[in-house]
Amino acid sequence: MRAALFDRYGPPDVLYAGTVPLPAIGPDDVLVRVRAVSVNGGELLLRSGAVPRWLLRGPFPRRTGLDFVGDVAAIGVRASGYAVGDRVWGLLSEKPDATGQALRSLAEYVAVRPAQIAAAPASLTPIEAATLPVGGLTALLALRREAGLRSGESVLVRGAAGGVGSAAVQVARALGAGPVTGLAAAGAADFVTGLGADRVVDYRRAEHADLGRFDVVIDTVGTDLRAFRRLLTSTGRMVTVRFDTENPVRSLATIATSVVHGSRRIRFFRGGPDSALLAEVARMAEAGALRPVLDETYRLADVAGAHRRLEAGGVRGKVVVDVDRD
């Protein structure tokens, strides 16, 4: 089968569409014919090698892809809950296997456990649906579980036009937050307002002191964590889903210090596969509370272009690879 591969760390051009064996399924597995996959920021870091090298274990060629939308192609004898032909979506765990690599989804087929998937929203195409699993699940976990958002609390979303940020604005609104402020480029103000933000501030011109105070800050950028923590109310909570890649030690130190000093703690987490939460995200999408936001679509043969687009910045929503396109 075809899959996105790279033989060395480097710029997007190291990526190519190669051939790998069709995944074998065990008795508890489900084989999914992948239709579409989104590109996420963590994959750019892994491909470029811009993470601590002790995390980059395993042989080349390496693969990429975290989420997927597709159709059930085969079912293990002990797997249940799905039938061949069902449209599903899911997430893969980022934990490495015995070879030092994690299973990746940007390929024609992927073998997963039922706990990693849920029925995809029937009203969305595979391309539309692929914009939501990572962003929707991450936003839901960040706001409800990590921040404990309560109705009427004020929320600041940093990186509000991006894949996770655009979902966070919508999920915050669906959970009853108010007001919701988005930090984004000036040109994206109307876009972020259309997602449900009450106010949009140009991040290039924003003075921290002028932004006000917030009960919850959702950070998708990873820099200046200490400065944004100061914007919290006395009982405020801040959740970040990204490190400062240029200085990850500083990010970790800031998060650790926030736990020790004061109630305004910074929480960091990475969302993992969870069928119940994926099903909830699907229900939100079906109800219109969470809509897909597609920036651009690429063919599997141009996976390098997809990474290049996300790396260039200014993305609104998600970049998606259409695995079905020749």
Side-chain angles (χ1 to χ4, degrees), residues 140-153:
L140 189 59
L141 285 172
L143 285 160
R144 190 168 63 191
R145 186 189 72 184
E146 299 297 322
L149 177 68
R150 294 181 289 272
S151 179
E153 288 192 313

Side-chain angles (χ1 to χ4, degrees), residues 82-199:
Y82 299 96
V84 172
D86 285 350
R87 176 65 49 82
V88 297
W89 66 359
L91 288 176
L92 301 179
S93 172
E94 294 187 274
K95 295 180 180 179
D97 60 18
T99 70
Q101 293 208 47
L103 181 65
R104 298 300 178 188
S105 63
L106 192 39
E108 291 181 304
Y109 289 88
V110 63
V112 294
R113 296 293 177 91
Q116 296 174 281
I117 60 176
S123 60
L124 302 182
T125 68
I127 299 298
E128 292 171 332
T131 67
L132 293 177
V134 168
L137 187 144
T138 301
L140 189 59
L141 285 172
L143 285 160
R144 190 168 63 191
R145 186 189 72 184
E146 299 297 322
L149 177 68
R150 294 181 289 272
S151 179
E153 288 192 313
S154 58
V155 174
L156 173 68
V157 179
R158 190 177 178 212
V164 174
S166 61
V169 170
Q170 297 181 76
V171 172
R173 179 60 65 205
L175 295 178
V180 177
T181 299
L183 272 182
D190 289 342
F191 167 71
V192 177
T193 300
L195 296 173
D198 298 285
R199 179 174 65 136

Side-chain angles (χ1 to χ4, degrees), residues 2-26:
R2 294 183 305 149
L5 306 171
F6 59 103
D7 297 324
R8 59 185 175 87
Y9 300 116
D13 289 342
V14 302
L15 288 162
Y16 64 95
T19 302
V20 298
L22 187 74
I25 64 168

Side-chain angles (χ1 to χ4, degrees), residues 231-293:
L231 303 182
L232 293 173
T233 63
S234 60
T235 58
R237 294 86 69 201
M238 179 174 172
V239 180
T240 184
V241 299
R242 189 169 180 179
F243 285 127
D244 181 352
T245 56
E246 294 185 1
N247 197 334
V249 174
R250 180 172 56 192
S251 291
L252 284 168
T254 301
I255 293 169
T257 301
S258 78
V259 175
V260 177
H261 299 287
S263 59
R264 295 179 294 178
R265 177 182 172 186
I266 302 174
R267 298 163 174 85
F268 173 80
F269 85 104
R270 301 295 294 271
D274 186 310
S275 59
L277 286 173
L278 285 167
E280 184 171 357
V281 173
R283 289 192 294 271
M284 294 179 69
E286 295 282 21
L290 180 61
R291 64 180 177 87
V293 182

Side-chain angles (χ1 to χ4, degrees), residues 45-79:
L45 301 178
L46 290 172
R47 182 221 71 227
S48 67
V51 296
R53 288 306 172 103
W54 60 270
L55 291 174
L56 302 177
R57 297 179 294 144
F60 288 108
R62 297 181 70 90
R63 294 172 55 181
T64 188
L66 181 60
D67 58 16
F68 58 92
V69 179
D71 305 317
V72 174
I75 303 172
V77 294
R78 290 202 299 262

